[in-house]
Amino acid sequence: MYVLCSPCILSPSLRAKGITHPSDIALFARSIGRCKKFGIEVVPLPCPETRYLGPDRAPGTYLERLNTPEFAALLEELRGKVNAIIKERGPPLCILGVNSSPTCGVTSTYYGAESGKPPKRDGRGVFYAKFPDIPAQDVSEFSKYRIYLAAPLFSEAERTYNSAIAELLRSHYYEVYLPQETGDDHAVRDKKDYARIYRCNKRAVRDADIVVAIIDGADADSGTAWEMGYAAGLRKTVIALRTDFRRAGSHERVNLMLEQEARVVTSRNELLAALGALHASPPRPEKISA
């Protein structure tokens, strides 16, 4: 199990001068930390720009600096080397890249101004475009792997379902905080327990990158709704899973305040797609065994 990785994520000095900020270093570190946590080997790719322009280079677009027959030949040479790695090791989970890069961008790249188009465009950089069949993720997305799973937990059925969703997320390389696993799973609690649970859950929401909320039922659980609102106030990504076919109104699946602050999905597969989850194995079936 491995990812192919833009080499500057491991060695930021390979990047063009002046473009690396502390926030970039933090993203790189969290992405590498995710790989270490889940035992994912990081295999660095060759850096076409360093090979062609050297390590001490100024920033520039593809059209400004790299649009030459010699660079095109270099990309073909490096594509062959990467394909040799894949042939030997099997397909990677993904290619991990850095957006805006002329060569290793994932969803955006500084290609250059041409025919009235802006220099920054949607799409992969020219090197990553050589591998269209391999999933790619930018470090800003890959580094978001800590999930707070907000859900009602008052019955055996609810706790079983919550555990199944947590296991599904963990199998796709997410770290999951599930309140019922930290002692919030019984009715007999004193005031110290209440205070401790509140502090732990609130801190866990703050520490999470993403909140996944289960909002089945005639109305969403009040605690879950609070956690969603708190996460929204912190500008966290909130994804709400609702498999319940009942609707709150003609234009609402659930309370509009929750629906406006979350991306609502209706199945496990939609949840994984919304997260941009890596698929090391086929998605799990929708039905949960008792």
Side-chain angles (χ1 to χ4, degrees):
M1 182 169 57
Y2 75 103
V3 295
L4 293 170
C5 176
S6 175
C8 63
I9 294 171
L10 297 171
S11 302
S13 61
L14 293 174
R15 305 187 82 197
K17 293 186 296 184
I19 67 170
T20 303
H21 302 285
S23 58
D24 298 314
I25 301 298
L27 288 176
F28 298 166
R30 287 201 297 270
S31 294
I32 299 305
R34 182 182 187 183
C35 291
K36 289 180 178 178
K37 179 176 180 61
F38 292 100
I40 302 170
E41 185 180 357
V42 180
V43 177
L45 291 165
C47 180
E49 292 179 65
T50 301
R51 285 277 301 271
Y52 188 65
L53 298 172
D56 189 26
R57 64 187 185 278
T61 68
Y62 167 74
L63 291 179
E64 292 170 335
R65 307 290 299 279
L66 305 170
N67 187 24
T68 67
E70 293 79 12
F71 189 70
L74 175 60
L75 289 183
E76 285 301 311
E77 174 193 334
L78 298 182
R79 175 164 67 169
K81 292 182 178 180
V82 174
N83 284 337
I85 293 172
I86 296 171
K87 182 177 180 180
E88 178 183 353
R89 303 178 64 112
L93 289 174
C94 73
I95 304 177
L96 190 57
V98 181
N99 269 345
S100 299
S101 167
T103 55
C104 300
V106 176
T107 61
S108 65
T109 177
Y110 273 108
Y111 186 83
E114 181 185 51
S115 303
K117 297 179 181 178
K120 189 174 183 179
R121 302 183 185 181
D122 293 339
R124 295 190 181 193
V126 292
F127 186 35
Y128 278 23
K130 299 287 184 182
F131 310 99
D133 296 329
I134 301 177
Q137 283 198 359
D138 177 64
V139 288
S140 63
E141 293 303 314
F142 188 83
S143 66
K144 297 175 183 176
Y145 68 95
R146 296 169 299 179
I147 290 178
Y148 184 101
L149 182 52
L153 43 71
F154 306 105
S155 68
E156 182 179 354
E158 289 171 340
R159 292 190 295 273
T160 299
Y161 184 70
N162 299 344
S163 294
I165 296 300
E167 195 277 332
L168 173 71
L169 296 173
R170 288 164 179 154
S171 73
H172 287 78
Y173 318 110
Y174 290 98
E175 180 180 290
V176 180
Y177 180 95
L178 180 59
Q180 70 193 50
E181 296 176 344
T182 63
D184 188 7
D185 63 351
H186 55 86
V188 183
R189 296 175 290 196
D190 59 24
K191 290 185 178 180
K192 288 184 179 180
D193 287 328
Y194 281 126
R196 176 188 61 79
I197 291 168
Y198 174 75
R199 289 194 306 270
C200 288
N201 291 353
K202 187 177 180 181
R203 182 172 59 248
V205 173
R206 290 199 305 267
D207 291 344
D209 302 307
I210 302 164
V211 169
V212 172
I214 297 173
I215 55 171
D216 284 335
D219 195 13
D221 167 66
S222 57
T224 302
W226 187 94
E227 290 159 335
M228 292 175 68
Y230 184 54
L234 295 172
R235 297 185 178 275
K236 305 284 184 180
T237 297
V238 181
I239 302 174
L241 174 60
R242 182 171 177 81
T243 64
D244 199 319
F245 62 79
R246 289 173 288 186
R247 301 183 68 88
S250 57
H251 302 291
E252 303 165 48
R253 286 169 288 193
V254 69
N255 180 283
L256 73 88
M257 298 299 288
L258 300 182
E259 194 162 1
Q260 289 299 307
E261 284 291 353
R263 177 174 176 178
V264 181
V265 297
T266 60
S267 70
R268 295 189 192 188
N269 289 345
E270 285 186 19
L271 172 61
L272 295 176
L275 289 166
L278 301 172
H279 289 284
S281 58
R284 304 295 179 88
E286 290 293 319
K287 185 178 179 180
I288 297 178
S289 300

